[in-house]
């Protein structure tokens, strides 16, 4: 029956969220970075398991070259940052040069910036990195936080002093 399937799905999502949240909270020195998804709808509707309010978690959406939301990216207040995720040069199977698009392409850009922040200041916690990433982001006309890597790394370096 449909009611039973819905109850099992809700239990599964709630269990995954609880386990993820507990693991993240137990690892405060780590910044966890996740992709918001590519269904073109709110995170609440498309993937409730990623709705985590944890100080060391960043949920990443994608923007195009103009800093606007492409139709595919998920959105909502749960999305911490947006990064470039439109036609990123990539090596495809067989070594063919191509272009990749999506939140799974935007997410590694945030992870790369976080790694550079740690090189600049190894004492940063996951929450520190999230705070600096958000504080140094540009805000576009629609209020979206667009990651600014150079400013985030500079802020990490400045906090070291």
């Amino acid at each position: 029956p449909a009611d039973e399937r819905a109850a099992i799905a809700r239990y599964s999502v709630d269990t995954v969220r609880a386990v993820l949240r507990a693991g993240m909270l137990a690892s405060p020195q780590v910044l966890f970075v996740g992709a918001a998804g590519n269904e073109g709808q709110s995170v609440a509707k498309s993937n409730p398991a990623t709705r985590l309010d944890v100080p060391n978690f960043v949920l990443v959406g994608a923007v195009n070259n103009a800093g606007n939301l492409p139709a595919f990216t998920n959105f909502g207040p749960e999305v911490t940052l947006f990064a470039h995720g439109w036609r990123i040069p990539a090596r495809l199977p067989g070594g063919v040069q191509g272009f990749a698009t999506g939140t799974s392409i935007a997410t590694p850009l945030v992870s790369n910036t976080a790694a550079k922040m740690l090189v600049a200041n190894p004492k940063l916690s996951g929450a520190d990195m999230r705070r600096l990433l958000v504080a140094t982001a540009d805000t576009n006309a629609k209020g979206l936080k667009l990651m600014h890597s150079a400013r985030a790394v500079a802020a990490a370096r400045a906090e070291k002093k």
Side-chain angles (χ1 to χ4, degrees), residues 15-28 32 52 54:
T15 301
V16 167
R17 284 185 74 225
V19 170
L20 284 172
R21 188 172 194 286
M24 291 175 181
L25 290 172
S27 305
F32 294 90
L52 297 162
V54 180

Side-chain angles (χ1 to χ4, degrees), residues 5 13 19 21 24 26 44 46 49-50 56 82 93 105 117 128 137 154:
R5 286 193 303 276
V13 167
V19 170
R21 188 172 194 286
M24 291 175 181
S46 69
T50 60
N56 57 332
F82 290 83
I105 301 305
M117 293 168 73
D128 292 335

Side-chain angles (χ1 to χ4, degrees), residues 33-111:
V33 183
N38 300 316
E39 291 83 24
Q41 57 190 347
S42 73
V43 170
K45 182 175 180 181
S46 69
N47 192 357
T50 60
R51 297 179 73 198
L52 297 162
D53 184 21
V54 180
N56 57 332
F57 176 60
V58 175
L59 190 61
V60 181
V63 290
N64 62 22
N65 295 345
N68 297 317
L69 285 182
F72 64 80
T73 194
N74 289 351
F75 52 85
E78 302 87 356
V79 180
T80 314
L81 284 175
F82 290 83
H84 187 58
W86 180 258
R87 295 191 46 81
I88 305 295
R91 220 26 104 182
L92 302 175
V96 176
Q97 178 69 33
F99 296 92
T101 294
T103 60
S104 294
I105 301 305
T107 299
L109 298 177
V110 176
S111 298

Side-chain angles (χ1 to χ4, degrees), residues 121 156-161:
N121 185 349
R157 190 174 294 115
E159 264 200 24
K160 188 174 180 181
K161 297 174 182 176

